Amino acid sequence: MDLDFESHNDGGLPPAGFAGLREVFARHLAAAQGGMAFCVYRRGEPLARFYGGSTTRRTAPTAEVEEAWSPKTMAVMFSGTKGVVATVAAMLVDRGMLDVRKRVAEYWPEFAAGGKEAVTVAQLLSHTVGLPYVDPEPEGDDPQLDNAGNARALAAQTPLWEPGRKVAYHAATYGYLMTEVFRRATGKPVGQLIAELIREPLGLEIYLGLPAELDPRVATVFRSDSYAISTFLQDPERRKIVERMYRNLVDPDKDPFNSIGMRRGEMSAGGGIGTADAMANLYSRLADPAGGVVSPPALADATTTWSEGVDAINDRPLRFGLGYELADPIGTYGPVAPAFGHSGAGGGLHGAWPGKNVGFSFLTNEMLAENQDRRAKDLLAELAKLV
């Protein structure tokens, strides 16, 4: 069977070990109806790169590939975008343009409403502010695309709990909150900051607000037939909150992540688009003390534990730095610690093992439920034997 499989070993991994990593990738690719990429970098140089499958959904893994996944294929990163936003925050800290210990209201005075006058930027980044959904949502057919309208609503909103007392993943609101803080602190939209701080100086194909000419390179995202969200959650009342938080992911009649609005919009909680090469390269430079992306003191602060515990809504174990996910009890980042990065809905995972100066990225267009998905876990387990 033609797996439409391509791999590259650009040095740095033992040949036998590289073969084992390739076998794991090929095994998961053989079961895929879509496509995927897995890239590993050290200090900005590739160690291993694998690509295969289809940029569109096939009727079965054995069906003909319409367009093969290649090194140039880009895909929506979902919440992998949050790690890029966390990197922007750390870079702004380095430049003296953002202080995470300051109150949000010092940048954004309207945010003090609803008992939020003492909330800090760090609490937004570490998912402890208590604003997991927008109430009320802006009017219009696509309210999730209205960054300014959602920010206004959140500024007026009262948190569900006293900020700082609980941790719960702010799936969409993280983006609206940080987009507005960045705008107030710098005067620039978040997509422009990503371009100026990351994409252009580092030469990495990571976009928030994709140019139309790049649309043909973007893989079509699809949910597997058994896809589900919040697989740790059993409580029916909190399930209602989750459905409100993730309306676009659970609505079978909507397909927002393949829409032009999402590609052009600057949805900094989940609308980033990039290549696996670019994300692995970025995290490898972050992991390297001499990488020059974020200073060692700023990165140490950003990857220190700022919040941890069981998600107050989703019942999933969490551990956050300043916008980055950190190594957690369920092994999201493999068997190596310390680790940091950010996962994305459906299985994408991008991160670093700083003790090994390694960055990695698993990118796919086939969304699987977390309790069924072994792809990134198996790849990282094999990689841990080699680096």
Side-chain angles (χ1 to χ4, degrees):
M1 183 179 78
D2 183 3
L3 293 176
D4 303 304
F5 169 81
E6 180 183 3
S7 66
H8 304 276
N9 184 7
D10 296 314
L13 295 181
F18 180 81
L21 197 60
R22 180 173 56 195
E23 187 280 327
V24 173
F25 186 87
R27 172 163 50 85
H28 283 291
L29 189 63
Q33 288 184 261
M36 62 183 76
F38 182 63
C39 296
V40 184
Y41 274 67
R42 177 179 277 145
R43 298 187 180 94
E45 297 295 331
L47 294 184
R49 298 186 288 186
F50 300 88
Y51 317 93
S54 174
T55 62
T56 58
R57 184 174 192 170
R58 293 180 284 174
T59 55
T62 55
E64 183 178 350
V65 171
E66 183 175 326
E67 183 175 346
W69 196 293
S70 78
K72 302 295 286 182
T73 299
M74 295 191 290
V76 177
M77 296 185 293
F78 293 96
S79 287
T81 311
K82 292 182 175 74
V84 179
V85 171
T87 302
V88 169
M91 296 175 85
L92 293 178
V93 167
D94 265 340
R95 288 159 174 75
M97 302 174 73
L98 184 68
D99 184 341
V100 299
R101 290 166 173 81
K102 277 190 174 181
R103 295 180 299 113
V104 175
E106 294 185 51
Y107 298 103
W108 179 7
E110 301 94 318
F111 190 79
K116 304 191 299 299
E117 60 277 353
V119 171
T120 64
V121 176
Q123 288 173 324
L124 304 188
L125 285 163
S126 59
H127 299 261
T128 62
V129 67
L131 296 171
Y133 55 77
V134 181
D135 184 24
E137 286 189 330
E139 296 181 357
D141 293 336
D142 293 303
Q144 76 276 7
L145 300 179
D146 186 352
N147 274 319
N150 281 290
R152 284 193 298 270
L154 287 165
Q157 201 168 323
T158 300
L160 294 185
W161 57 79
E162 181 184 341
R165 291 291 299 275
K166 298 179 181 180
V167 58
Y169 185 50
H170 287 47
T173 56
Y174 169 101
Y176 304 130
L177 294 166
M178 291 312 302
T179 292
E180 188 65 15
V181 167
F182 287 165
R183 187 181 72 83
R184 299 290 181 121
T186 70
K188 296 179 179 181
V190 62
Q192 182 179 343
L193 290 170
I194 289 172
E196 292 179 354
L197 297 176
I198 296 175
R199 183 173 67 251
E200 293 166 2
L202 302 180
L204 302 179
E205 291 196 296
I206 300 171
Y207 293 86
L208 194 60
L210 188 76
E213 61 268 23
L214 297 180
D215 281 343
R217 289 178 52 193
V218 180
T220 301
V221 173
F222 63 93
R223 291 167 281 199
S224 68
D225 293 337
S226 59
Y227 181 71
I229 59 171
S230 300
T231 55
F232 285 78
L233 178 59
Q234 302 299 320
D235 182 84
E237 290 305 311
R238 279 182 285 133
R239 174 67 61 178
K240 294 176 184 177
I241 298 176
V242 168
E243 289 172 353
R244 187 170 186 175
M245 291 167 58
Y246 291 95
R247 283 192 313 113
N248 290 304
L249 279 179
V250 298
D251 188 340
D253 298 322
K254 291 190 174 182
D255 186 21
F257 289 97
N258 291 309
S259 72
I260 295 300
M262 183 61 73
R263 290 182 183 182
R264 303 291 178 266
E266 297 184 3
M267 303 295 101
S268 56
I273 294 174
T275 65
D277 269 275
M279 291 297 287
N281 193 334
L282 174 63
Y283 275 107
S284 78
R285 297 190 194 198
L286 287 168
D288 180 6
V293 178
V294 174
S295 71
L299 186 66
D301 201 28
T303 57
T304 293
T305 301
W306 284 77
S307 64
E308 64 181 324
V310 176
D311 190 309
I313 295 172
N314 286 283
D315 284 340
R316 186 187 188 276
L318 299 176
R319 186 165 170 247
F320 284 110
L322 294 173
Y324 294 117
E325 293 177 332
L326 307 180
D328 57 33
I330 58 175
T332 301
Y333 289 86
V336 176
F340 68 92
H342 216 290
S343 56
L349 183 73
H350 321 277
W353 292 337
K356 299 180 180 295
N357 294 336
V358 163
F360 49 82
S361 173
F362 176 74
L363 190 63
T364 181
N365 61 343
E366 182 173 2
M367 300 178 69
L368 302 181
E370 184 176 16
N371 61 345
Q372 300 175 350
D373 191 3
R374 292 291 317 175
R375 295 170 297 182
K377 290 182 176 66
D378 291 346
L379 287 162
L380 292 181
E382 191 67 25
L383 178 65
K385 302 173 185 178
L386 310 177
V387 295

